[in-house]
Amino acid sequence: MHQDEADLITRNPYKQLGYQLGTQLYYHFSDQWSVSSGLWLEWNQIPSKYYDAVPGSLAFERSFHHNFQIPILLNYQTTTKRLAPYFSAGLVLHKAKYSYIVIRTTTGEETEHGSNFYSPILPRLLLGAGIKYRLNEHLSLITQPVIMYEVEKERGKRVFQYSLQTQLVCRF
């Protein structure tokens, strides 16, 4: 890696903005414990401003990613009351599906480059702690801040993802 590239990476931390949408099935093996799994679709953008870092060369403006995730979670609520603390922990299998970047030259010209990925499935650890509010006998609302952790071995980086997860749960 050239010194200019190292400076470029140091000055522009890796931050993502995005959202997830998905569905999960729950199996309750007691009033307080459950396991869940499903499918989440994730869209995110990494906003970057690299123009001035290496004068006269191409640089990233923005990159966009579409991913699939399969959560396998153990869930616990401390009480069966209407409002209860709620905890989740488990594994999320992450698969990148599609990615594209918008590149801007120093002359202001923009081009878009996309690629379909045949990337490996990357495991992520998930921890969440929040609240569960039972609206009625069949509906509950769960809100919890979540942290996911992944180690990207090929680059040696530690990747953390923070999010606020909100779920509407239907129980039959």
Side-chain angles (χ1 to χ4, degrees):
M1 179 181 299
H2 293 44
Q3 183 58 42
D4 288 342
E5 291 171 331
D7 289 344
L8 177 68
I9 291 167
T10 303
R11 288 196 306 264
N12 294 286
Y14 185 73
K15 294 180 181 175
Q16 296 182 14
L17 302 171
Y19 57 94
Q20 279 182 340
L21 182 64
T23 184
Q24 285 182 231
L25 293 175
Y26 286 79
Y27 175 74
H28 293 266
F29 49 89
S30 79
D31 288 338
Q32 294 173 287
W33 289 93
S34 67
V35 291
S36 60
S37 186
L39 178 65
W40 298 342
L41 302 175
E42 176 184 61
W43 297 269
N44 58 49
Q45 173 185 350
I46 302 171
S48 304
K49 303 265 184 196
Y50 293 162
Y51 326 95
D52 303 326
V54 184
S57 66
L58 295 177
F60 292 113
E61 166 68 23
R62 300 178 302 277
S63 64
F64 301 87
H65 306 277
H66 305 166
N67 308 304
F68 291 110
Q69 297 182 341
I70 298 173
I72 303 165
L73 304 175
L74 178 64
N75 309 294
Y76 175 71
Q77 66 185 63
T78 60
T79 179
T80 57
K81 293 181 181 176
R82 181 176 285 268
L83 182 64
Y86 188 83
F87 303 93
S88 296
L91 184 68
V92 176
L93 302 175
H94 176 91
K95 170 80 168 139
K97 180 194 177 291
Y98 182 76
S99 218
Y100 68 95
I101 58 173
V102 176
I103 296 177
R104 178 178 289 182
T105 63
T106 53
T107 62
E109 224 176 281
E110 283 192 1
T111 57
E112 186 177 300
H113 301 273
S115 65
N116 286 315
F117 281 171
Y118 295 100
S119 66
I121 295 173
L122 300 171
R124 294 180 171 181
L125 299 177
L126 178 141
L127 289 174
I131 58 169
K132 180 176 182 178
Y133 180 71
R134 191 176 67 245
L135 299 168
N136 61 39
E137 184 181 334
H138 299 287
L139 287 176
S140 297
L141 184 65
I142 300 170
T143 301
Q144 60 182 348
V146 170
I147 183 171
M148 280 196 274
Y149 172 75
E150 167 192 321
V151 176
E152 291 186 23
K153 294 181 182 166
E154 67 272 7
R155 289 184 238 153
K157 293 181 183 178
R158 283 187 256 168
V159 176
F160 291 90
Q161 182 179 350
Y162 305 96
S163 62
L164 179 64
Q165 188 180 75
T166 303
Q167 302 174 44
L168 181 62
V169 179
C170 300
R171 189 172 183 171
F172 302 98

